[in-house]
Amino acid sequence: MNGAQSLLRTLVDAGVDVCFTNPGTSEMHFVAALDGVPELRGVLGLAEGVVTGAADGYARIAGTPAATLLHLGPGLGNGLANLHNARRACTPIVNVVGDHATYHKAYDAPLESDIEAVAGSLNGWVRRSEHPADVGADAAAAVAAAMDTPGRIATLILPADVSWGESGVAVDPVPPRTPRATPDATLDAVAEVLRSGEPAALLIGGGACRERGLLATSRIANATGARTLVETFPARLERGTGLPAIDRLGYLAEQAAYQLDGVKHLILAGARSPATFFAYPDKPSDLVPEGAQVHTLADREHDVAAALEAVAERVAADAKPTLSPARPPAVPSGELTPQNWVEVIGALLPEGAIIADEANTSGLLLPAATANSPRHDILTLTGGAIGQGMPVATGAAIAAPGRPVINLEADGSAMYTLSALWTQARENLDVTTVILNNNAYAILRMEMQRVGADLSGPTAKSLLDLSSPEMDFVKMSEGMGVPATRATTCEELAEQFARAVAEPGPHLIDAAVPPLL
């Protein structure tokens, strides 16, 4: 058994059964070893951002890590944006990054780089295997590190000669750490705050955004009058019929300030203390209302749902949660607008759907339109690095082959990782992509106004305009093997969306939605 074979066998024994890959010469022994370990599914991405984003989407749904196989430092660097999003989502991922053979590094070959420095920027676990006999143990440690609560990115650097060298040994899995329990004293203190009668808000994130946490949060709110909010960009949020509909904290500072106005106590459960996404002239960065106290019930290393349930038993023992009724919107009619396209999705969303949401400004009204749709999961842009939606949808579809995946994608963001469509076609994944095509970087138009920059000049305007030339997503999609259509009205979008969801395999709809701004 060589080092690569021991790596694959150890990964499979630890529960890793998918590897998203864009390999190079230094990883060829890993690729060759895949034929001897059929339990590990290899999925090819044409760009590293697709590989890393797909691993993120897979793990958000599966709850267990996928592996990535990346080519030296430049390959890791190419995948860094979606690894940044995964880091913010606390997604467990095991990166395997090939490197030059140990004796070759002294020659400073063109692809030589400081892989540890690049991987270190992810604030995760990093190790370099030094000998074929070490690889199995290093791989087991990497999986355990990735699975440590709340989840993180583990990067194992595998030199080529360590990969091809003999004396590899497969190693049994290493149990990850279990989530910490919130101390009783903290539970009691938060319960006392909620009983005080002073205005309080409960901001939830991480594991609290699943059914258990949502139900407990709603019970607490109904018993105490506390406001409830979900973090702005949750990694995975369960929504729809039969679950509490809890609003997300607004992206715009003005929205968040309105939602938190008058709050004297802000209780955090799996969420960070809120701050604006960017600095704005003459505006505060901290969104906590002046004079309000911040209380941490549970951070992401805790069992957040259990902490919320324990508080609910203290302050809301007899309270019931408020559940969303089955009342999706009606299908609208007429030309597509930023206001009505979301109603088409809300009206026709299938049961058990997974939404990969990178609609950006076009999707501001999506939460309201889908609150009473059939139960579904939504995966959001956790780290703000665009180009996530298509890869995340790809990984989610592999993690849950029996569930329809809906990718709501802004046109500018789509171009970052468009080749994910090729992987969807190759793997015959059940992904329906809806491109929100407004021919603009509308989010940047909004941000330029908010920072006080002058938009009137022709150069500034041209840099935020995507209409010259117009992008033909139907042709681009068909060129990668994904059938595509174009919709300009609600009726066309409804007919095309319903058909795409009903048919197996990937589909794309180019929806002509004008910009919100």
Side-chain angles (χ1 to χ4, degrees), residues 13-399:
D13 290 346
V16 178
D17 57 10
V18 176
C19 178
F20 298 97
T21 178
N22 185 270
T25 303
S26 52
E27 294 79 45
M28 285 299 101
H29 281 81
F30 184 112
V31 173
L34 284 168
D35 281 307
V37 187
E39 305 97 314
L40 187 65
R41 177 180 179 179
V43 178
L44 179 61
L46 299 183
E48 290 89 346
V50 173
V51 169
T52 55
D56 183 10
Y58 176 92
R60 291 198 204 187
I61 294 300
T64 55
T68 72
L69 181 62
L70 302 169
H71 186 40
L72 297 109
L76 176 61
N78 283 341
L80 199 62
N82 277 330
L83 288 173
H84 163 78
N85 291 325
R87 176 180 70 85
R88 299 294 298 196
C90 298
T91 302
I93 294 175
V94 176
N95 290 324
V96 178
V97 183
D99 196 10
H100 291 302
T102 53
Y103 59 83
H104 192 68
K105 291 182 71 65
Y107 298 96
D108 193 25
L111 280 167
E112 176 62 27
S113 65
D114 190 343
I115 300 174
E116 282 88 349
V118 178
S121 68
L122 298 168
N123 299 327
W125 179 98
V126 183
R127 181 178 295 179
R128 175 182 291 271
S129 287
E130 301 289 352
H131 189 275
D134 301 333
V135 174
D138 291 343
V143 176
M147 286 296 292
D148 271 348
T149 303
R152 58 178 169 161
I153 296 166
T155 301
L156 179 62
I157 303 166
L158 188 64
D161 55 336
V162 174
S163 181
W164 72 54
E166 300 300 323
S167 74
V169 180
V171 172
D172 291 337
V174 175
R177 293 180 299 170
T178 57
R180 292 191 291 141
T182 299
D184 285 341
T186 301
L187 299 172
D188 292 338
V190 168
E192 189 62 28
V193 167
L194 289 164
R195 293 192 195 101
S196 70
E198 294 189 314
L202 188 56
L203 179 61
I204 66 171
C209 298
R210 307 288 295 279
E211 182 176 18
R212 287 176 56 205
L214 295 170
L215 293 175
T217 299
S218 181
R219 290 174 57 205
I220 293 167
N222 288 343
T224 67
R227 301 178 206 177
T228 56
L229 293 164
V230 173
E231 61 186 340
T232 307
F233 290 117
R236 179 179 178 181
L237 174 62
E238 294 185 352
R239 304 184 77 243
T241 302
L243 290 172
I246 301 176
D247 289 339
R248 283 155 60 181
L249 186 69
Y251 169 81
L252 301 178
E254 296 86 346
Q255 293 174 303
Y258 174 79
Q259 291 169 306
L260 297 172
D261 184 45
V263 165
K264 299 299 182 185
H265 299 278
L266 179 61
I267 301 166
L268 306 177
R272 300 174 177 88
S273 189
T276 59
F277 268 64
F278 302 100
Y280 299 99
D282 303 319
K283 293 182 180 180
S285 297
D286 190 356
L287 291 173
V288 177
E290 187 175 353
Q293 290 182 267
V294 178
H295 312 267
T296 300
L297 168 63
D299 62 27
R300 295 195 175 194
E301 292 189 358
H302 291 91
D303 187 335
V304 184
L308 286 165
E309 289 173 333
V311 171
E313 288 305 303
R314 285 165 166 77
V315 303
D318 299 322
K320 301 295 183 184
T322 300
L323 307 180
S324 299
R327 196 168 57 222
V331 176
S333 62
E335 297 291 317
L336 289 172
T337 70
Q339 291 76 27
N340 65 22
W341 79 266
V342 296
E343 295 175 350
V344 176
I345 303 302
L348 300 176
L349 193 68
E351 181 76 37
I354 300 168
I355 297 176
D357 178 17
E358 197 175 21
N360 297 342
T361 56
S362 294
L364 293 178
L365 301 177
L366 180 69
T370 54
N372 299 317
S373 299
R375 186 163 169 169
H376 59 278
D377 285 284
I378 187 162
L379 315 179
T380 75
L381 185 61
T382 48
I386 62 174
Q388 172 188 282
M390 287 185 169
V392 160
T394 302
I398 289 176

